[in-house]
């Protein structure tokens, strides 16, 4: 790892106010997601129960700000009267689950493909690099939407989303890791280990991977928000997480029709999605600057 | 000569990529356990009717034979069935939607201008905004301009386009009544209305993607400004405007164009989302309708057509790229 002796990475990270704010927000949302049933239970609500008394005959929520009251902290969903606070806090679970799982999948594939391409080189590297180019240019959203139609309904939709966005998300990290692996190949300690007769297994595990850890961490932090965004976009389009599982993207999609009459229905899940994405991006930026002093210009 | 060779190689690569993508797409969509004949067979679906429907649509053959039929159809057109029930699908035939009783090519051509208008306008805007913001941040490096441009760009990267789009509709459409709240008017019908309906979608899509380009341009510009030839240009007494606009920008644009080429796929995806937000009936709407009704020929046709679009556009980007950096084509 490129450790700057004069300044520990953790110290420069904590000195970055925006990164700290991002980190705190992430932790807060993680806690909310973990305690979702508890939080919505405080007001005696859950994201599934209809409350038709909270909406008028036309389906619009009754009362100020989309039906905000002591019972419904964020108001209610139009038509059904389901508690919006419960939907938003439970939606955090969906976002994090999909975001983390898809990122893990992408990282696994990307790192393996990148390291092996950079290490072995030759035709294998050329094939992988070409494949990465194709994947990059591929209109993946179109493909993922299309895939939703033909996978049997019995297949869990959330798992399908994790799999497809994970399988389309790896080319970025693969390319970066490949480049770094090629750079590492020239480094003295790798050359020395090779000269001492170290095999590929040892080299990859003990020489390359430890030096790629900071890149992998930074890239993971940057990938999580884009995965959360991808799931939300799919749910927004109506081809993502199916009802009644709470999902921010789907609620935002539902809010399209209600935007002029009930803007708060859009504001609450929208703010949550925006804040989480922003927090991860700010934290990731700070992390990158802290772990790689070269980027501080 | 070398340029011709470069072009030839790129064209070959393009054709190869397209072939691989189309085989994969076709295989994936036809190997999955959804029988298209079953869906259009109606109820009650007797085995005889199912077999008839299957043969009529050409689904009784193995997938690779269907794929070859599909490929041939693009060149020569296709016919389904015989006698009174026969349907024609003129070349280039990207399949036939039995549900809508229309050739897929016709459906795509009908919708493509919408998606294309959104994507092209947004791309132009985002390159202009992104590159100029990045140059400004790099030139004013370390100042408030730089810091706020970079912070804004992180905010831009984080905001989902549909969310900003919806807020834009609320503010500029409903509250201020400055722009239409949705819909699309063909250019041929009224260029002014066309522009008017697209201003907001373009701005939303461009502002968000511009953020990435602002960062990229800034980093690149800072690097280039440290190069010797920039010092030489300055030492010659050239005005700063010319140094940056002519000498530096050209080298900054090379990686920007590369990234732009890679982003074309997501540009199309962005257009799909934008269509939904602004209730425009483009390719994305066509695809989502097809997904909801399991109209397999339309799904496959639109997917392959999008891949074709992206690959051809990538080729165009490569041409620009080789014009900016003559080393590429050598």
């Amino acid at each position: 790892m490129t450790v700057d002796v004069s300044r520990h990475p953790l110290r420069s990270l904590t000195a970055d106010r925006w990164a700290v704010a991002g980190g705190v927000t992430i932790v807060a949302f993680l806690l909310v997601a973990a305690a979702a049933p508890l939080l919505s239970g405080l007001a005696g609500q859950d994201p599934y129960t209809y409350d038709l008394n909270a909406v008028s005959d036309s389906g619009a929520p009754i009362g100020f700000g989309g039906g905000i009251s002591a019972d419904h902290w964020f108001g209610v969903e139009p038509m059904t009267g389901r508690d919006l606070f419960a939907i938003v806090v439970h939606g955090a679970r969906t976002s994090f689950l999909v975001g983390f799982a898809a990122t893990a999948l992408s990282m696994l594939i990307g790192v393996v493909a990148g390291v092996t391409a950079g290490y072995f080189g030759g035709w294998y590297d050329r094939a992988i690099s070409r494949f990465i180019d194709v994947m990059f240019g591929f209109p993946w959203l179109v493909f993922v939407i299309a895939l939703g139609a033909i996978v049997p309904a019995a297949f869990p939709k959330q798992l399908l989303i994790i799999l497809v966005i994970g399988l389309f998300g790896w080319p970025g990290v693969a390319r970066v890791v490949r480049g770094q692996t090629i750079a590492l190949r020239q480094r003295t300690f790798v050359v020395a280990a090779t000269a001492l007769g170290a095999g590929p297994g040892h080299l990859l595990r003990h020489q390359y991977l430890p030096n790629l850890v900071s890149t992998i961490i930074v890239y993971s932090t940057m990938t999580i928000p884009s995965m959360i965004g991808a799931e939300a976009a799919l749910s927004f389009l109506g081809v993502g997480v199916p009802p009644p599982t709470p999902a921010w993207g789907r609620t935002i999609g539902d809010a399209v029709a209600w935007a002029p009459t009930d803007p708060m229905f859009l504001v609450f899940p929208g703010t949550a999605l925006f804040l989480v994405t922003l927090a991860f991006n700010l934290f990731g930026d700070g992390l990158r600057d802290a772990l790689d002093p070269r980027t501080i210009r | 000569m070398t340029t011709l060779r470069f072009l030839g190689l790129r064209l070959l690569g393009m054709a190869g990529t397209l072939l691989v993508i189309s085989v994969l797409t076709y295989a994936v969509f036809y190997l999955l356990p959804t029988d298209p004949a079953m869906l259009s067979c109606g109820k009650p679906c007797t085995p005889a009717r199912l077999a008839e429907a299957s043969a009529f649509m050409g689904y009784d053959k193995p997938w690779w034979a269907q794929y070859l039929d599909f490929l041939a159809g693009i060149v020569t057109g296709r016919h389904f069935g015989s006698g009174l029930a026969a349907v024609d699908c003129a070349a280039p035939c990207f399949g036939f939607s039995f549900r809508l009783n229309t050739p897929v090519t016709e459906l795509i051509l009908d919708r493509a201008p919408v998606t294309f208008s959104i994507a092209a306008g947004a791309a132009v805007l985002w390159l202009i905004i992104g590159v100029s913001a990045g140059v400004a941040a790099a030139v004013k490096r370390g100042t408030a301009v730089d810091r706020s441009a970079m912070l804004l760009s992180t905010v831009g990267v984080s905001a989902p386009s549909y969310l900003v789009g919806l807020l834009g509709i609320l503010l500029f459409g409903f509250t201020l009544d400055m722009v239409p709240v949705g819909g699309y008017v063909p250019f041929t019908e009224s260029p002014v209305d066309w522009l008017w309906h697209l201003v907001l979608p373009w701005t939303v899509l461009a502002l968000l993607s511009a953020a990435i380009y602002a960062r990229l341009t800034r980093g690149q510009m800072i690097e280039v400004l440290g190069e010797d030839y920039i010092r030489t240009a300055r030492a010659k007494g050239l005005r700063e405007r010319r140094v940056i606009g002519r000498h530096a920008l050209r080298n900054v644009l090379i990686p920007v164009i590369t990234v732009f080429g890679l982003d074309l796929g997501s540009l199309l995806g962005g257009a799909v989302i934008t269509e939904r937000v602004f209730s425009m009936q483009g390719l994305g709407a066509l695809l989502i309708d097809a997904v909801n009704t399991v109209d397999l020929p339309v799904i496959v046709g639109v997917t392959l057509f999008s891949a074709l679009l992206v690959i051809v556009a990538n080729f165009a980007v490569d041409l620009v790229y080789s014009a900016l950096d003559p080393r590429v084509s050598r």
Side-chain angles (χ1 to χ4, degrees):
Chain A
M1 226 184 292
T2 35
V3 175
D4 184 353
V5 256
S6 65
R7 210 168 180 203
H8 193 271
L10 201 63
R11 270 191 64 189
S12 50
L13 185 64
T14 48
D16 184 343
R17 272 176 306 156
W18 289 107
V20 173
V24 170
T25 312
I26 294 170
V27 171
F29 268 98
L30 280 173
L31 288 176
V32 166
L38 220 66
L39 284 171
S40 56
L42 284 179
Q45 300 295 339
D46 68 78
Y48 307 107
T49 312
Y50 282 33
D51 180 2
L52 295 177
N53 291 326
V55 291
S56 67
D57 290 340
S58 66
I62 298 166
F64 156 80
I68 293 177
S69 65
D71 285 338
H72 301 294
W73 298 346
F74 284 2
V76 294
E77 185 179 65
M79 302 307 288
T80 64
R82 284 184 290 202
D83 186 57
L84 192 55
F85 177 73
I87 291 177
V88 171
V89 294
H90 279 84
R93 292 188 152 193
T94 310
S95 283
F96 280 128
L97 175 69
V98 175
F100 284 124
T103 301
L105 182 62
S106 275
M107 285 297 142
L108 186 70
I109 304 174
V111 170
V112 169
V115 169
T116 51
Y119 178 79
F120 292 111
W123 66 267
Y124 176 74
D125 179 30
R126 277 198 298 279
I128 295 269
S129 301
R130 186 79 198 120
F131 190 62
I132 289 174
D133 286 345
V134 173
M135 292 285 284
F136 254 126
F138 201 71
W140 68 271
L141 189 69
V142 173
F143 196 82
V144 172
I145 293 172
L147 210 56
I150 43 150
V151 174
F155 196 88
K157 210 55 191 287
Q158 224 159 322
L159 182 63
L160 175 73
I161 292 170
I162 292 171
L163 285 179
V164 284
I165 64 180
L167 287 177
F168 275 102
W170 61 268
V173 69
R175 180 174 286 196
V176 173
V177 166
R178 172 184 170 271
Q180 293 214 337
T181 307
I182 290 175
L184 282 173
R185 224 162 41 184
Q186 318 292 332
R187 297 281 290 274
T188 327
F189 62 89
V190 176
V191 175
T194 317
L196 287 171
H202 171 89
L203 280 174
L204 288 178
R205 244 174 302 131
H206 297 285
Q207 308 293 337
Y208 287 93
L209 273 185
N211 285 288
L212 293 168
V213 165
S214 56
T215 307
I216 295 171
I217 292 176
V218 170
Y219 232 88
S220 302
T221 321
M222 309 287 232
T223 305
I224 292 168
S226 61
M227 291 300 180
I228 290 179
E231 178 270 314
L234 286 172
S235 298
F236 170 80
L237 291 170
V239 289
V241 178
T245 310
W248 292 339
R250 206 187 58 246
T251 304
I252 297 171
D254 292 343
V256 172
W258 292 93
T261 46
D262 182 12
M264 294 317 270
F265 185 40
L266 170 67
V267 167
F268 285 115
T271 309
L273 177 61
F274 172 62
L275 277 182
V276 165
T277 321
L278 181 65
F280 270 106
N281 280 329
L282 287 173
F283 187 69
D285 275 354
L287 208 58
R288 185 190 52 202
D289 291 346
L291 287 174
D292 185 1
R294 276 171 309 163
T295 55
I296 301 173
R297 294 193 164 120
Chain B
M1 172 57 207
T2 43
T3 312
L4 253 155
R5 202 181 122 83
F6 169 75
L7 279 182
L9 278 177
R10 288 297 307 161
L11 267 172
L12 266 180
M14 190 170 94
T17 311
L18 206 56
L19 214 61
V20 171
I21 287 185
S22 63
V23 172
L24 283 178
T25 311
Y26 215 86
V28 166
F29 285 108
Y30 280 86
L31 286 179
L32 279 160
T34 302
D35 186 356
M38 191 76 160
L39 292 161
S40 69
C41 167
K43 282 170 190 167
C45 182
T46 59
R49 277 193 61 181
L50 183 64
E52 196 187 336
S54 204
F56 179 70
M57 296 189 255
Y59 291 140
D60 50 343
K61 301 180 186 170
W63 75 268
W64 53 267
Q66 289 184 40
Y67 174 70
L68 291 179
D69 281 351
F70 177 83
L71 277 192
I74 296 176
V75 184
T76 61
R78 288 175 81 172
H79 305 279
F80 295 92
S82 58
L84 280 175
V87 285
D88 249 334
C89 178
C93 174
F94 274 89
F96 190 90
S97 165
F98 296 98
R99 223 189 63 78
L100 300 171
N101 203 23
T102 318
V104 173
T105 314
E106 207 173 286
L107 290 170
I108 289 175
L109 288 182
D110 194 35
R111 305 295 192 93
V114 182
T115 310
F116 196 72
S117 299
I118 300 174
V124 170
L125 255 188
W126 100 29
L127 278 177
I128 294 174
I129 299 174
V131 170
S132 36
V135 169
V139 173
K140 306 260 177 206
R141 183 177 156 197
T143 66
V145 175
D146 181 17
R147 274 198 301 275
S148 41
M150 285 308 106
L151 191 63
L152 269 180
S153 99
T154 305
V155 172
V157 171
S158 310
S161 60
Y162 44 91
L163 192 60
V164 180
L166 285 170
L167 293 176
I169 294 178
L170 272 182
L171 181 61
F172 296 107
F174 283 104
T175 311
L176 299 176
D177 202 18
M178 284 163 66
V179 290
V181 294
Y184 173 82
V185 177
F187 183 77
T188 46
E189 210 169 275
S190 160
V192 176
D193 277 345
W194 173 79
L195 191 72
W196 209 227
H197 280 82
L198 283 166
V199 167
L200 197 54
W202 281 348
T203 317
V204 168
L205 205 53
L207 276 180
L208 301 180
S209 309
I212 303 164
Y213 288 80
R215 302 198 138 215
L216 181 70
T217 308
R218 175 182 177 273
Q220 205 62 33
M221 191 57 140
I222 286 172
E223 210 157 273
V224 168
L225 285 180
E227 300 271 347
D228 286 343
Y229 70 90
I230 295 295
R231 197 169 29 186
T232 311
R234 281 181 177 149
K236 280 196 302 188
L238 287 185
R239 267 178 311 172
E240 191 63 14
R241 197 186 191 84
R242 200 174 159 80
V243 172
I244 293 184
R246 288 292 291 263
H247 294 251
L249 197 58
R250 196 181 164 110
N251 283 295
V252 168
L253 283 183
I254 292 168
V256 172
I257 295 289
T258 313
V259 175
F260 180 68
L262 297 176
D263 267 352
L264 287 169
S266 43
L267 170 64
L268 202 66
V272 167
I273 294 175
T274 313
E275 278 171 25
R276 167 80 203 272
V277 176
F278 293 92
S279 33
M280 296 178 169
Q281 298 297 313
L283 285 178
L286 177 66
L287 179 66
I288 290 173
D289 285 347
V291 165
N292 289 331
T293 54
V294 203
D295 195 347
L296 214 52
V298 177
I299 296 174
V300 172
V302 173
T303 311
L304 287 182
F305 182 74
S306 324
L308 175 80
L309 261 190
V310 169
I311 289 168
V312 171
N314 249 312
F315 179 68
V317 166
D318 271 350
L319 292 187
V320 176
Y321 190 70
S322 67
L324 275 173
D325 187 357
R327 279 170 302 183
V328 178
S329 55
R330 287 217 189 101

